Amino acid sequence: MHAGSEPLDGIFQALADPTRRAILARLGGGPAAVGELAQPFDMALPSFMKHIAALEQSGLIRTEKSGRVRTCTLERATFALVDGWLGEQRRLWAGRTDRLEAFVTRDIT
Amino acid sequence: MHAGSEPLDGIFQALADPTRRAILARLGGGPAAVGELAQPFDMALPSFMKHIAALEQSGLIRTEKSGRVRTCTLERATFALVDGWLGEQRRLWAGRTDRLEAFVTRDIT
DNA sequence: TTGATAGTTAGCCGACCGGCAAAGTGTTGG
DNA sequence: CCAACACTTTGCCGGTCGGCTAACTATCAA
């Protein structure tokens, strides 16, 4: 039934966790190894790796193993999908002029 | 740092479901009653109501009951929180100039 | 007042999520 | 060769999620 909407499912699901958002924020400053990323979190490694896996599966990061170290890199292009969805929503709002819109747009713009 | 990152948890969680995103898209065209919103979905009403509840709890919609009809309205201001998070991420990327950025920004801008 | 309408409440179910510990794999350094 | 290191695999656990049915409440229309 819902063919084609799946990528956003995984992306939003991945973003719905503070640990994973923190990982993304850290990776915003540049690539890092799993162990290095894990340090700030009081969590066993296997648990942490599940977060990494969720981020990778959703396409928000890319990882590559060199020797015994796995390095994680932000996949910026994927963020554009979220941006695109937001933009599409706003496009749907366009033209509607409720009292509400007058209020909201005045505050934002 | 960010004392209140919990709202984003609920928001992204709510967005991570195609049914709920479809509801939001429909509400983009203006407020609607629960029954009216539910029609396109092959789903029992109690199940559907859980989606409505998730959207309301996350702040993405507001609902009001008048008589026996509950009307749902998009809460546009909440979308700005998502936008704000995305913006903050991009701010973290700023200044870093990987090969990747050259590729991505060419496509986006 | 009776019946249809529009949600709501309650309870059940299987699947998935986020955490753990224990033990295994494969590099690297000495 | 051996030990330390950096994950990885396995298997378990309780809780939440998304769906259902059945039964209930509260309007509105006739």
Side-chain angles (χ1 to χ4, degrees), chain A residues 20-108:
Chain A
R20 289 191 291 257
R21 289 199 304 277
I23 293 172
L24 292 176
R26 199 177 188 87
L27 286 178
V34 167
E36 184 188 343
L37 285 169
Q39 270 185 30
F41 302 98
D42 190 14
M43 186 184 301
L45 243 174
S47 315
F48 187 79
M49 287 300 293
K50 285 196 185 177
H51 289 297
I52 298 291
L55 288 170
E56 185 170 22
Q57 260 206 309
S58 70
L60 285 163
I61 71 172
R62 195 168 17 87
T63 82
E64 194 184 351
K65 192 161 184 178
S66 170
R68 57 184 169 179
V69 174
R70 178 171 296 275
T71 302
C72 307
T73 313
L74 217 53
E75 194 68 271
R76 297 180 184 182
T78 304
F79 287 74
L81 292 182
V82 178
D83 234 10
W85 180 82
L86 272 175
E88 198 174 329
Q89 292 310 112
R90 293 229 164 76
R91 196 172 51 71
L92 292 174
W93 308 346
R96 296 207 60 87
T97 327
D98 321 35
R99 281 173 287 121
L100 190 56
E101 185 180 17
F103 173 73
V104 171
T105 54
R106 178 166 54 74
D107 245 46
I108 291 180

Side-chain angles (χ1 to χ4, degrees), chain B residues 17 33 42 51 77 103:
Chain B
D17 183 292
D42 189 15
H51 289 297
F103 173 72

